[in-house]
Amino acid sequence: MTATLIWILVVLAVIGLYLSWTAGRLDRLHARIDAARAALDAQLLRRASVAQELATSGVLDPAASIVLYEAAHAARQAEEEQREVAESELSQALRAVFADPRQLEVVREAHGGEAAARELAEAVRRVPMARRFHNDTVGAARRLREHRKVRWFRLAGHAPFPMAFEMDDEPPAVLTDRAA
């Protein structure tokens, strides 16, 4: 009788440790999601700021400046619910403005243009990487949260279900060639 009780307690302790380890893992994943989201937000803000600065520099033609400025301004001011759409529109505006490779040459020839072109190329290159890292972390947390043990024992607590950040982040071809 005593041996059976000891074995039951050992099994319950092992199950408790496993559930505690799983809850800790889920908590760490949620912390990684928060950090990845902050990094993504920083990269998106950097891209919008560089685009807005370029649009107001007077280097681009007036139509391209207006398109780029409005898209960058909308991306910087967008509410959380509209952020993905606004960032996608900024990507489309960047592709439209730099569809003609001569536009980049005009930027490069201006005073300080080489540095501005390099900074823009780096910004548009880093956004897809930050988004991919964020979405990979979200995917890992979602897969763990779908396990029965996590749902049955409510190991996620009151944390909101993680959502991926879906947007069009394809950079202009002329800027990716330049960043490589």
Side-chain angles (χ1 to χ4, degrees):
M1 176 77 173
T2 307
T4 306
L5 186 59
I6 290 174
W7 279 110
I8 290 173
L9 290 175
V10 168
V11 168
L12 288 176
V14 168
I15 291 171
L17 284 172
Y18 178 70
L19 291 175
S20 175
W21 176 80
T22 303
R25 182 173 161 219
L26 190 57
D27 187 49
R28 287 188 301 276
L29 279 171
H30 282 123
R32 279 181 50 201
I33 289 171
D34 291 343
R37 181 57 188 241
L40 175 61
D41 286 342
Q43 292 305 322
L44 291 171
L45 181 62
R46 179 175 181 234
R47 181 181 75 153
S49 297
V50 170
Q52 201 169 20
E53 186 177 311
L54 185 61
T56 58
S57 68
V59 174
L60 301 173
D61 64 86
S65 292
I66 290 171
V67 167
L68 196 57
Y69 179 82
E70 287 181 354
H73 181 72
R76 289 183 71 175
Q77 301 297 321
E79 296 293 325
E80 190 61 35
E81 302 82 35
Q82 298 298 320
R83 185 91 187 267
E84 295 172 352
V85 173
E87 294 295 346
S88 293
E89 289 173 354
L90 177 55
S91 295
Q92 293 166 3
L94 283 166
R95 283 196 306 272
V97 167
F98 291 105
D100 183 7
R102 291 178 294 195
Q103 193 74 278
L104 183 62
E105 292 305 317
V106 169
V107 170
R108 290 178 63 205
E109 290 169 1
H111 177 70
E114 185 65 37
R118 186 173 40 255
E119 189 174 358
L120 183 62
E122 288 175 6
V124 300
R125 182 178 49 86
R126 289 180 179 171
V127 167
M129 291 187 301
R131 187 178 74 85
R132 193 172 316 117
F133 183 74
H134 174 267
N135 288 350
D136 289 347
T137 307
V138 165
R142 289 175 115 177
R143 284 188 297 277
L144 184 58
R145 286 183 70 151
E146 289 171 354
H147 290 174
R148 269 185 243 149
K149 66 180 177 269
V150 173
R151 290 192 320 260
W152 287 352
F153 292 102
R154 302 177 196 267
L155 299 180
H158 297 288
F161 195 74
M163 301 300 291
F165 194 86
E166 298 299 333
M167 65 172 269
D168 172 10
D169 60 3
E170 183 181 337
V174 70
L175 291 176
T176 56
D177 293 343
R178 181 150 173 73

